[in-house]
Amino acid sequence: MAARLKVTQIKSKVSEKQNQRHTLRSLGLKRIGDAVVRPDDAQTRGYVRAVAHLVEVEEID
């Protein structure tokens, strides 16, 4: 089974750049405490790298 990533938003996006706010939205995160499970692929890793200071990542499976 393919690995997956649980991404949780831990900081506010209010004072961040527009592209970082869009990246959080693309991940499916709307507010602090929201968590999503995404496939562990290059696209998701790139999103997470762009907003690493705003999210917490756990590998599951």
Side-chain angles (χ1 to χ4, degrees), residues 10-52:
I10 57 170
K11 286 191 171 182
S12 175
K13 61 184 175 184
V14 169
S15 63
E16 302 302 325
K17 295 179 182 177
Q18 187 69 33
N19 66 323
Q20 293 173 345
R21 293 195 299 259
H22 286 310
T23 301
L24 286 174
R25 196 74 161 135
S26 295
L27 282 168
L29 301 170
K30 297 178 184 176
R31 60 184 57 91
I32 296 173
D34 274 359
V36 294
V37 176
R38 300 288 302 248
D40 186 5
D41 56 12
Q43 180 179 4
T44 304
R45 291 281 180 167
Y47 283 160
V48 168
R49 193 174 306 115
V51 292

